[in-house]
Amino acid sequence: MLVLNQSFEPICVCGTQKAVVLLYLHKAELIEERHDRSIHTVSSSWPFPSIIRLNNYRRIPYKNIMLSRKNILRRDGHRCQYCGSHAAPLTVDHIIPRARGGADSWENLVAACLYCNNRKGSRTPEKAGMTLLSTPRRPSHVSFIVQSVNSVDDGWKPYLFIGS
């Protein structure tokens, strides 16, 4: 279930049980339901939630995603950004090496397989004759929400700012 803040900003994805408890306690309201499923109790039937919205605004400090090895690999889809390989083990590579003044930042770190990381060494990609598959950027919390689920429900797309 997609959980929205009172201002309709996406916060997170939660399980069915948590969503139903929030609805039952009147801490959230149902925005969209799944019509192919429902929740049955002994005496009643409830709509199966797809999107819920919190009744009270919650200040969530998710705007700054922490820079970590795990989050770099997650942002890059666990793919080497030089050759596109998914082969493990993956390392984190500095595009501009630390020895040449490269910083630990979202824009300077990428996932790389051991082969490409060793081939590049302490050179820049241009000097090593290698190109990046994509330009590294600071990820948004919305992109991490989308990555956390296998497939995005069509009803979620307007709230996650994804085109149809």
Side-chain angles (χ1 to χ4, degrees):
M1 305 329 116
L2 179 63
V3 179
L4 304 175
N5 213 338
Q6 187 185 27
S7 61
F8 288 91
E9 294 174 282
I11 295 177
C12 65
V13 175
C14 74
T16 307
Q17 184 176 1
K18 175 77 170 175
V20 170
V21 167
L22 288 171
L23 290 168
Y24 181 77
L25 295 175
H26 301 289
K27 293 187 177 198
E29 67 175 315
L30 183 66
I31 300 296
E32 282 199 33
E33 63 183 85
R34 289 188 53 184
H35 298 289
D36 59 334
R37 299 175 74 180
S38 60
I39 299 171
H40 300 282
T41 65
V42 175
S43 60
S44 63
S45 180
W46 292 61
F48 196 90
S50 176
I51 302 174
I52 61 172
R53 185 182 82 140
L54 298 177
N55 289 335
N56 295 320
Y57 183 81
R58 299 282 184 233
R59 187 179 173 283
I60 310 290
Y62 57 73
K63 298 290 184 193
N64 295 325
I65 296 173
M66 190 173 77
L67 179 65
S68 67
R69 180 182 187 279
K70 181 179 112 181
N71 287 339
I72 294 287
L73 296 175
R74 189 174 168 191
R75 176 200 66 190
D76 293 342
H78 296 278
R79 282 179 52 202
C80 174
Q81 292 301 294
Y82 296 108
C83 69
S85 169
H86 287 281
L90 290 174
T91 62
V92 173
D93 179 54
H94 287 78
I95 298 169
I96 299 171
R98 278 193 273 189
R100 299 182 186 268
D104 289 338
S105 67
W106 285 106
E107 295 78 18
N108 193 44
L109 295 171
V110 292
C113 65
L114 284 175
Y115 175 77
C116 290
N117 201 352
N118 288 332
R119 186 176 142 215
K120 180 179 163 286
S122 64
R123 300 176 288 176
T124 63
E126 294 80 26
K127 288 189 179 179
M130 302 169 78
T131 57
L132 288 168
L133 296 177
S134 62
T135 305
R137 292 185 178 89
R138 176 183 296 273
S140 70
H141 70 283
V142 174
S143 67
F144 273 26
I145 290 173
V146 170
Q147 286 178 351
S148 70
V149 294
N150 293 335
S151 62
V152 176
D153 191 317
D154 287 336
W156 294 13
K157 290 180 180 181
Y159 300 101
L160 295 175
F161 313 108
I162 300 173
S164 300

